Every structure is written in C-alpha cells, then in structure tokens.
Amino acid sequence: MPSRRSALTLLAGGSAALALGAAPAAHAHAPRPFGRYGSPSRRLDAATLYVDARGRGDHTGLQAAVDAATGPGHTLVIAPGTYRETVDIPADRTGLTLIGASGDPHDTVIVYGNANGTPLPDGSGTYGTSGSATVTARPAGLTAYALTFANDWLRAEHPEYTGTQAVAIKVQGDRSAFHGCRFLGHQDTLYADSAALTDFARQYYRDCYVEGDVDFVFGRATAVLDRCHFRTLTRTDLAAPPYGFVFAPSTAGANPHGYLVLRSRVTGTAPDGYFKLARPWVPSSDLTAHPMLTVRECRLGAGIDAGEPYGTMSAGFPWQQQRFAEYRNTGPGARVTVPANRPRLSAAEARLHTPAAWLGDWRPYR
C-alpha cells in the first residue's frame, strides 16, 4: 500500500487511507486550467491572480501568489495540481479568497511534510507544532473553496521523533470560512485557533472532510463545523485503544463559544471503540482555558467508544469539568451506556447552541 506522500504525489490528493476513491486525473491536462474563473488573458478583475504549477498562470506556487497579493480583497484561483510547499498568509491579506479551480478538492492539493520534531534548517531547534503547519492562515475574512490542505509526515518514517504533531493548516483569523475543503494528516491535522488569547476568532467549515488520529481538530477558535465528515485512521504503531481523539478544544475561559459540530458524521478505519470523541486541551500558555465542545445531530460511527467517549489530556483538568455537551446524536458511537459519561443538552439549552449564537452578525452559513 502506498504511503500518503506517494499517493498525494501520484493522485493529486488521493490518500491511501481514504475511502473516497481515486482522485480524478482528467483536470490536470485540461485546456482551461482555471475553469470558469478566467485566466491571465481573461482576468476577472485586477484583484484576481492565477496559480498554476505548469506555468499557465501568474505564479507557479501559492506562496508567490500570496506575496504578490498585497493589500485586502484579492482572489487566488488555483489550477489543479499538487503544490508541495509551505504557505504563510500574513494578517494584512484581509478578505483573501482561495479557489480550487476545478471545484473538486481532490484535484488541488497544498501539501508539505514537517512535524513538531523536524529539525530547523539552521540547527537551532525544531519546528514545533505551529511551525509544522503546511499552511498558516493569519488574516481575517479568509475564504477557501474546494482545496485540499495536507501534511504527509508519517510516524513510521521517523520513529525517533517524540514531537509527532504535524499540522495541515493553522487558521487564526476571524471570519475564516472553508467550503468543500479537505484536511489530511494524522496528529493535529486542523488547527482552528486564534492569534491571541483575547481574540475570539470565528470560523466556519461547511461540507468539509477531515482525517487524522490524535486531536486532529484542535485549538481555541470559536468554530462551527457544519455537515462535515471526520474520519479516524488506524494506528499501526499501537496494539490497544485508544488510538486517538477527534476533537481537542482549548477554548479561552472568557470565550462563551468553543467548537460547535452539527449535522456531521464520524467514521473510521479503526476497530470498534478504539477512538474517543474528544478530550480537553488546557495548554501551559493558558491554564485558565475552559474547553468547550458541543456535538449535536451527528452520526457517530462504531469507532467511537460509546461507554467512555471523552478522555483527559492533563491531570488536574478532567473532561468532566469542561464544557462538553451532546444533543440528539445517532449511530453506534452515540449509544448512552453510561449516562454520566454523556453530558446532554436539554431542548431549551440546545436552542442556544446554534451557528447564529456562535457567529453573531457574521452569517457565512446563509
């Protein structure tokens, strides 16, 4: 079986761990790489730039296009292909839009392979968790459509590493929205965060796919994950459960809203009961964090441990003291076998756990 790295390279995003089928290859040689979004010769407007690894756009790489898109309100149209690079989007690129030109996120992949424990080029240390991110998205008002963000670092290739976190994307800006995107990795895949403890960055993920094993959706953002698919991966390095955790929020204590997951599903390749739904993350940089997670109207597959769906990351911060709740979930992983382990909202409480409540005057879900 090919590794994720070889699969991404050969199939422009078709991970060997996915059950989504091989990525289509026809778009790679299409005569109109930017589809309905114009081209450098038929530019939609002055604020639209085109990215194509084969040289048919304004830039062959995404970072180069980001560097050129100075100021607010630019659109980057990205042709099908695999873009092997790290990308850092500065905070002053407000209102930036990223579009996968084919409309299929399998076709356009942004991928790299750093981990927490990867040595820095200058030998001064390692990248750390944040530094491992393939893409770091700092600006407010970022919107992305039909793209794959991936980190293809593999534990099996570096058994000597203790820092195995490998982030596909770190999102920090307020009003960041992702529609129909894929996020591929193992540990710490999607880092839904904010720029500072006092920033309650609002983020919205709709019709997205996220895969991983340990804490693969984590951070302190106010994030709504709507109609998404979360897929847990089998751990070949472990013989017993738990293999990992889907969510690890680190919500600031002063923030009334953490992660809201609704109308979504959790599936997986691991044996039944080998995954926990979540555990709270109280980082050493914010010991006042009060992690918050609401999972409602979701289907939880058999891979979730129904009897003990939550775990504790750090002694002194048990999950029972955090803001975890469920409402009207279905599936074998949602069975209530030990009521004390399944904190549930009443109907009245559930009316306060909605995208409108989480996102306020910003309404990307309409």
Side-chain angles (χ1 to χ4, degrees), residues 2-366:
S3 69
R4 174 182 283 111
R5 180 173 298 115
S6 63
L8 283 166
T9 301
L10 294 172
L11 299 175
S15 167
L18 297 180
L20 302 182
H27 294 291
H29 303 288
R32 297 179 57 194
F34 306 108
R36 60 190 178 89
Y37 298 103
S39 66
S41 62
R42 298 183 296 109
R43 198 177 303 275
L44 297 184
D45 54 55
T48 299
L49 299 177
Y50 297 90
V51 184
D52 177 37
R54 299 179 64 203
R56 296 166 294 181
D58 299 305
H59 303 279
T60 57
L62 184 56
Q63 184 65 62
V66 167
D67 293 344
T70 56
H74 279 79
T75 296
L76 305 184
V77 181
I78 309 168
T82 298
Y83 298 83
R84 189 162 191 88
E85 58 178 314
T86 59
V87 181
D88 193 325
I89 307 174
D92 63 0
R93 269 57 167 182
T94 54
L96 180 68
T97 300
L98 308 176
I99 300 175
S102 76
D104 185 338
H106 290 81
D107 292 343
T108 308
V109 180
I110 306 157
V111 59
Y112 209 72
N114 286 329
N116 178 328
T118 302
L120 290 165
D122 63 5
S124 61
T126 63
Y127 278 97
T129 298
S130 292
S132 74
T134 298
V135 175
T136 302
R138 307 177 191 273
L142 175 76
T143 306
Y145 298 94
L147 293 168
T148 291
F149 302 90
N151 189 315
D152 63 0
W153 185 87
L154 297 171
R155 293 187 190 93
E157 295 179 358
H158 295 279
E160 75 279 11
Y161 282 22
T162 56
T164 57
Q165 299 88 348
V167 178
I169 186 169
K170 180 175 183 177
V171 186
Q172 295 181 295
D174 186 39
R175 294 176 289 107
S176 297
F178 294 79
H179 299 269
C181 291
R182 298 195 311 155
F183 306 92
L184 309 182
H186 284 273
Q187 183 170 354
D188 291 7
T189 304
L190 171 56
Y191 197 170
D193 204 49
S194 68
L197 292 176
T198 54
D199 292 344
F200 301 160
R202 296 166 294 174
Q203 299 171 15
Y204 183 68
Y205 301 82
R206 173 69 178 262
D207 297 319
C208 291
Y209 172 91
V210 194
E211 71 168 25
D213 46 44
V214 180
D215 305 332
F216 62 94
V217 181
F218 76 115
R220 63 171 174 249
T222 294
V224 174
L225 300 112
D226 187 3
R227 295 183 173 90
C228 293
H229 179 189
F230 306 94
R231 187 164 179 82
T232 60
L233 300 179
T234 298
R235 295 282 299 274
T236 58
D237 58 320
L238 295 179
Y243 278 175
F245 309 80
V246 181
F247 305 103
S250 58
T251 320
N255 189 349
H257 301 115
Y259 286 177
L260 172 62
V261 184
L262 73 159
R263 297 174 289 202
S264 297
R265 60 189 171 120
V266 179
T267 67
T269 61
D272 291 0
Y274 267 52
F275 268 87
K276 305 291 188 184
L277 186 59
R279 63 177 176 174
W281 177 32
V282 179
S284 59
S285 59
D286 181 21
L287 296 179
T288 65
H290 194 192
M292 183 180 189
L293 168 70
T294 298
V295 180
R296 59 174 300 170
E297 297 156 311
C298 294
R299 179 169 177 80
L300 308 181
I304 298 299
D305 181 352
E308 296 184 22
Y310 302 104
T312 292
M313 185 181 300
S314 303
F317 302 99
W319 75 262
Q320 293 90 342
Q321 295 180 9
Q322 313 309 323
R323 295 176 285 177
F324 284 7
E326 300 180 50
Y327 182 69
R328 289 188 176 178
N329 295 318
T330 60
R335 290 196 313 269
V336 180
T337 59
V338 183
N341 289 343
R342 309 298 303 234
R344 286 167 288 171
L345 299 173
S346 67
E349 290 170 332
R351 286 193 284 272
L352 303 176
H353 292 242
T354 64
W358 254 239
L359 304 179
D361 61 355
W362 179 50
R363 300 176 180 176
Y365 46 87
R366 290 191 172 181

